[in-house]
């Protein structure tokens, strides 16, 4: 991902409205020099992370970063409120959201975005941490889907699920250990599909907040599917059910 280093350069990137994935600030004392950047980032909804100075040195490729590095994004993210408002205004179909609980591989994220757009999802929701950034690798892997599909960043996926329930969504988590088959759940209403990260699956707090946990039956010695493949399967089961209901 393209990086912007230094107080003045990062402040200009924020003020210009440039899409930023997140900002990394060195831990420790900085006086008041970085407070305007932190405040402006919060106003724009850009995540701020605090890391050791050695991590910033590696990230910036030098020690001349003044304690702050911003990573550019290929797309500006929205808030959950923006996503819900847009989904509510679309009366063509019940809402369909995809929440990704910790997908860190940009190729997987891009592939999920591509499937979500093709299946008619309203948006994809990502956590601020433990998630791949929306850089050029994701844009290429999505085959253009990133340009057309809204993406939201949230601080906490588990808390976001509670907000979605209040907004009328049913939460369906994909978990390979679940006993219920993914075809046995009604996906025709407002649905939020939740998929876990590579190798780890859903976090415990996220799993507990799902209304339904479902799995995709597999055979053979390798029982788990790549997350982007699993996303495509359950997304198009949603499409199938909704089309069948409309007929």
């Amino acid at each position: 991902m393209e990086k912007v280093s230094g107080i003045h350069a990062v402040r200009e990137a924020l003020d210009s409205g440039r899409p930023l994935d997140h900002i990394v600030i060195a831990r420790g004392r900085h006086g008041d020099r970085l407070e305007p950047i932190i405040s402006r980032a919060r106003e724009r909804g850009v995540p701020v992370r605090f890391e050791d100075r050695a991590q910033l040195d590696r990230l910036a490729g030098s020690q001349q970063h003044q304690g702050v590095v911003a990573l550019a994004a290929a797309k500006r993210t929205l808030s959950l409120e923006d996503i819900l408002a847009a989904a509510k205004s679309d009366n063509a179909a019940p809402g369909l959201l995809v929440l990704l609980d910790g997908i860190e591989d940009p190729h997987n994220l891009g592939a999920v975005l591509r499937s979500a757009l093709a299946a008619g999802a309203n948006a994809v929701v990502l956590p601020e941490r433990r998630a791949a950034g929306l850089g050029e690798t994701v844009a290429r892997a999505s085959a253009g889907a990133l340009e057309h599909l809204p993406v939201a960043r949230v601080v906490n996926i588990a808390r976001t699920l509670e907000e979605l329930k209040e907004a009328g969504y049913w939460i369906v988590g994909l978990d390979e250990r679940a006993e219920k088959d993914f075809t046995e759940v009604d996906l025709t209403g407002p649905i939020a599909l939740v998929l876990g990260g590579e190798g780890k699956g859903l976090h415990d707090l996220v799993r507990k907040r799902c209304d339904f946990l479902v799995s995709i039956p597999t055979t053979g010695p390798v029982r788990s599917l790549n997350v982007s493949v699993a996303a495509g399967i359950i997304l198009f089961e949603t499409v199938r059910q909704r089309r069948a209901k409309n007929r």
Side-chain angles (χ1 to χ4, degrees):
M1 297 175 69
E2 186 180 352
K3 298 154 191 162
V4 180
S5 303
I7 292 173
H8 178 72
V10 173
R11 186 184 297 153
E12 286 297 320
L14 283 166
D15 290 343
S16 69
R18 181 178 181 178
L20 297 175
D21 189 75
H22 64 276
I23 294 172
V24 183
I25 292 177
R27 292 193 181 99
R29 295 183 178 181
H30 304 282
D32 296 329
R33 298 185 305 159
L34 298 181
E35 286 304 319
I37 287 177
I38 296 172
S39 297
R40 187 74 177 103
R42 287 172 177 163
E43 289 174 6
R44 281 200 45 197
V46 178
V48 177
R49 303 177 186 175
F50 295 88
E51 304 284 355
D52 294 334
R53 184 168 289 273
Q55 174 66 17
L56 267 77
D57 294 345
R58 290 191 292 270
L59 191 60
S62 76
Q63 296 180 345
Q64 310 304 314
H65 47 67
Q66 298 179 297
V68 58
V69 178
L71 282 79
K75 180 187 182 72
R76 182 181 299 176
T77 56
L78 303 174
S79 68
L80 181 65
E81 291 73 20
D82 294 332
I83 295 299
L84 290 176
K88 189 174 182 180
S89 65
D90 183 5
N91 296 319
L96 175 59
L97 303 177
V98 179
L99 287 83
L100 304 180
D101 180 26
I103 292 182
E104 300 182 19
D105 186 316
H107 295 93
N108 280 338
L109 176 54
V112 172
L113 290 168
R114 185 176 184 179
S115 295
L117 180 67
N122 298 102
V124 168
V125 180
L126 307 174
E128 289 186 356
R129 300 183 67 85
R130 298 192 307 270
L134 297 179
E136 291 304 319
T137 301
V138 171
R140 289 194 298 271
S142 77
L146 182 60
E147 293 293 325
H148 303 282
L149 184 65
V151 178
R153 287 272 194 193
V154 297
V155 175
N156 186 295
I157 289 288
R159 190 179 307 128
T160 298
L161 296 183
E162 294 300 324
E163 295 179 41
L164 290 175
K165 289 180 182 181
E166 292 176 3
Y169 282 78
W170 290 95
I171 313 300
V172 179
L174 199 56
D175 186 340
E176 64 182 37
R177 296 172 293 179
E179 296 182 0
K180 187 181 289 293
D181 192 300
F182 74 108
T183 60
E184 297 174 352
V185 173
D186 185 354
L187 301 172
T188 59
I191 293 293
L193 300 174
V194 192
L195 296 99
E198 303 90 348
K200 300 176 182 177
L202 300 174
H203 288 88
D204 287 340
L205 284 177
V206 172
R207 185 183 293 109
K208 290 175 181 177
R209 283 168 172 75
C210 292
D211 295 307
F212 302 100
L213 290 172
V214 300
S215 61
I216 298 173
T218 58
T219 59
V222 180
R223 304 303 298 270
S224 62
L225 295 172
N226 176 279
V227 64
S228 64
V229 173
I233 291 171
I234 194 166
L235 278 164
F236 280 93
E237 170 63 13
T238 305
V239 172
R240 185 196 67 79
Q241 288 190 20
R242 292 182 177 194
R243 287 182 175 176
K245 182 177 181 179
N246 289 336
R247 292 195 194 102

